[in-house]
Amino acid sequence: MGNFKPVRDSYLPYGRQWIDEEDIESVIRVLRGDYLTTGPYVSEFETAVANYVGAKYAVSFSNGTAALHGACFAAGIGDGDEVITTPMTFVASANCILYQRGKPVFADIDNKTYNIDPVEIERKITSRTKAIIPVDFTGQPVALDEIISIAKKHNLAVIEDAAHALGATYKGKRIGSISDMTMFSFHPVKHITTGEGGVITTNNKDYYEKLLQFRSHGITRDKIKLNDIEQGPWYYEMQFLGYNYRMTDIQASLGISQLKKIDKFVNFRKKYVSIYNEAFKDMDEIKIPYQNKEGSSSWHLYIIRLDLEKLKESRKEIFESLQKRNIGVNVHYIPVYFHPYYMKCGYQRGVCPNAEKLYEEIITLPLFPAMTEDDVNDVISAVNEVLIYNRK
Ligand SMILES: *Cc1c(COP(=O)(O)O)cnc(C)c1O
């Protein structure tokens, strides 16, 4: 589009961390101490996460993807096992199935919530199905009651990808306390950060023990688990092929400090979302995010859906116009099976029409607690400008 002044001089990213002096001090304290990795802060962080979400156990990992890999291992996913997930997610939600030589099966999304549709899950179940990996897309909890009841009926594990949903609730319960296993990510754009990091929360002791062993090469020192108890105090056994997926004490200490601020972070997100909703609710050209009544989203992402029939320009042109105004818009996500690797594995376009159509029409606006109300208003001004220009 034609001439314009950028609404702001500096580039506003779609998401970023909020680190304060207390966070910095907590990292420095570890650097001066005895342990840099797998010391006291790792278990303290795990206990804090478990307590916050209301789960019995939490096992930390070097990143959220490694945590999902661990969950697939613990759920017993193996050669050729089918696992149902959504295409409207980051590739990690499906890649973790491939790591275990399982087969991702994509079920389409609900057109209102953009979350995986339980009816579509049930349609995709075969005798080879072992688990479901639903994603709380943008922070809005999936239909957990429906999904868990399908899982019970067919004897499947539910591994909830809650990378977007720390601090969200479903029917009054915190996300992280409900599914068989729940994954949270601590990447800098997520609700709290450890640089890289992730966790699985669970109420199941068997999963908990498998996860601990998996993230440390498959090694155990637990006397009850050893095959040979005669060896001596130095002795440990590697009993299955695990990985080095451990979180450091440096990360965990940052995580402990960040977790103290989770409610503040989520409240800022909610406040900015209500400002966006108010500003956009009467614009015919865009749809604001639908929220169902069962859950309370923790708002990782704010996504607008364009009604392209009512707009002069394409999504790409509108996206570029916002970028030119220094608004760091993004698109979440490219359907997983559109990626060349998945295409090479034989996946084809057309299997999830709702997700494919959504992908053509969405733009993610900046949303993070460290942005200011002025930043929020800059985004609104830019969207207004671009949409007014686009009116037919
Ligand atoms: C961020 C994210 C992950 C992976 O987390 P990492 O910590 O970056 O490995 C997985 N699933 C979803 C939906 C995510 O947004």
Side-chain angles (χ1 to χ4, degrees):
M1 57 183 276
N3 289 330
F4 68 90
K5 282 206 308 269
V7 294
R8 51 185 290 128
D9 295 329
S10 62
Y11 184 77
L12 181 69
Y14 87 90
R16 63 159 291 161
Q17 70 277 12
W18 183 349
I19 298 291
D20 64 16
E21 284 307 312
E22 193 190 3
D23 295 327
I24 293 166
E25 283 305 314
S26 68
V27 169
I28 290 169
R29 196 172 58 227
V30 181
L31 293 176
R32 295 192 200 283
D34 293 331
Y35 294 92
L36 294 186
T37 193
T38 329
Y41 292 112
V42 166
S43 41
E44 187 182 326
F45 180 49
E46 290 170 338
T47 304
V49 171
N51 287 344
Y52 175 72
V53 302
K56 276 199 189 133
Y57 310 102
V59 180
S60 61
F61 283 83
S62 46
N63 57 70
T65 306
L68 281 173
H69 185 187
C72 286
F73 170 83
I77 310 305
D79 233 328
D81 288 336
E82 293 177 6
V83 180
I84 298 172
T85 190
T86 172
M88 193 39 64
T89 186
F90 183 56
V91 290
S93 315
N95 288 353
C96 60
I97 305 161
L98 295 175
Y99 297 156
Q100 286 297 109
R101 294 153 51 86
K103 184 183 167 207
V105 173
F106 296 100
D108 208 354
I109 56 165
D110 175 276
N111 258 330
K112 267 170 46 188
T113 62
Y114 311 153
N115 273 329
I116 194 167
D117 182 347
V119 176
E120 293 298 313
I121 293 177
E122 197 137 32
R123 275 188 47 211
K124 297 285 167 98
I125 289 173
T126 72
S127 60
R128 305 227 52 179
T129 310
K130 268 280 183 64
I132 308 168
I133 305 184
V135 177
D136 302 308
F137 182 64
T138 71
Q140 167 156 242
V142 288
L144 279 172
D145 278 356
E146 288 83 349
I147 291 171
I148 288 168
S149 102
I150 292 168
K152 286 214 168 102
K153 193 164 118 196
H154 299 274
N155 196 23
L156 314 173
V158 177
I159 301 167
E160 188 179 350
D161 179 339
H164 298 180
L166 186 64
T169 57
Y170 178 77
K171 298 190 176 172
K173 281 189 185 162
R174 279 252 162 79
I175 290 297
S177 63
I178 306 165
S179 294
D180 293 316
M181 288 178 267
T182 305
M183 183 280 284
F184 297 101
S185 163
F186 308 123
H187 180 278
V189 298
K190 306 288 164 66
H191 289 80
I192 64 166
T193 191
T194 59
E196 295 280 356
V199 76
I200 298 290
T201 61
T202 182
N203 293 317
N204 181 309
K205 187 154 185 268
D206 183 47
Y207 288 151
Y208 169 67
E209 289 178 354
K210 282 193 175 122
L211 291 164
L212 279 179
Q213 202 167 338
F214 184 80
R215 72 149 184 219
S216 202
H217 311 277
I219 286 173
T220 186
R221 292 174 179 277
D222 187 342
K223 294 222 165 37
I224 300 163
K225 290 196 181 140
L226 296 176
N227 290 301
D228 185 342
I229 51 166
E230 304 293 316
Q231 289 281 326
W234 65 87
Y235 188 66
Y236 59 84
E237 286 177 359
M238 181 199 137
Q239 299 176 326
F240 57 78
L241 186 60
Y243 293 76
N244 180 351
Y245 276 166
R246 294 185 303 264
M247 177 180 271
T248 66
D249 256 33
I250 304 165
Q251 291 163 292
S253 181
L254 177 57
I256 293 163
S257 177
Q258 284 264 299
L259 187 61
K260 290 179 187 153
K261 291 166 276 225
I262 180 68
D263 292 336
K264 175 175 95 172
F265 289 167
V266 171
N267 285 337
F268 268 110
R269 288 175 181 273
K270 286 182 173 165
K271 178 174 155 197
Y272 296 153
V273 165
S274 62
I275 299 174
Y276 278 152
N277 281 343
E278 192 53 35
F280 301 140
K281 72 179 189 321
D282 296 324
M283 287 187 178
D284 272 355
E285 298 86 354
I286 57 179
K287 212 181 256 164
I288 62 173
Y290 170 85
Q291 295 297 292
N292 64 28
K293 298 279 179 293
E294 289 104 64
S296 168
S297 178
S298 55
W299 290 105
H300 169 53
L301 300 173
Y302 189 88
I303 292 178
I304 54 169
R305 182 169 196 168
L306 306 176
D307 187 343
L308 291 168
E309 307 244 297
K310 295 192 176 127
L311 296 161
K312 281 194 262 186
E313 293 179 310
S314 67
R315 190 264 302 265
K316 186 175 171 209
E317 287 166 309
I318 292 168
F319 185 97
E320 285 167 348
S321 294
L322 291 166
Q323 282 281 351
K324 273 193 217 146
R325 283 165 172 73
N326 275 331
I327 304 301
V329 286
N330 214 309
V331 171
H332 296 93
Y333 289 93
I334 303 155
V336 173
Y337 57 81
F338 278 20
H339 287 284
Y341 181 80
Y342 278 83
M343 289 274 159
K344 218 172 62 189
C345 292
Y347 289 86
Q348 281 171 1
R349 287 176 188 242
V351 284
C352 297
N354 292 349
E356 293 181 21
K357 178 135 198 306
L358 180 69
Y359 165 61
E360 300 293 331
E361 301 173 354
I362 44 175
I363 292 179
T364 306
L365 302 182
L367 178 65
F368 54 98
M371 72 196 285
T372 64
E373 244 176 276
D374 284 345
D375 293 332
V376 176
N377 287 323
D378 286 344
V379 177
I380 292 169
S381 301
V383 171
N384 268 325
E385 247 179 61
V386 173
L387 290 186
I388 286 165
Y389 173 86
N390 260 280
R391 261 186 201 140
K392 280 184 174 166

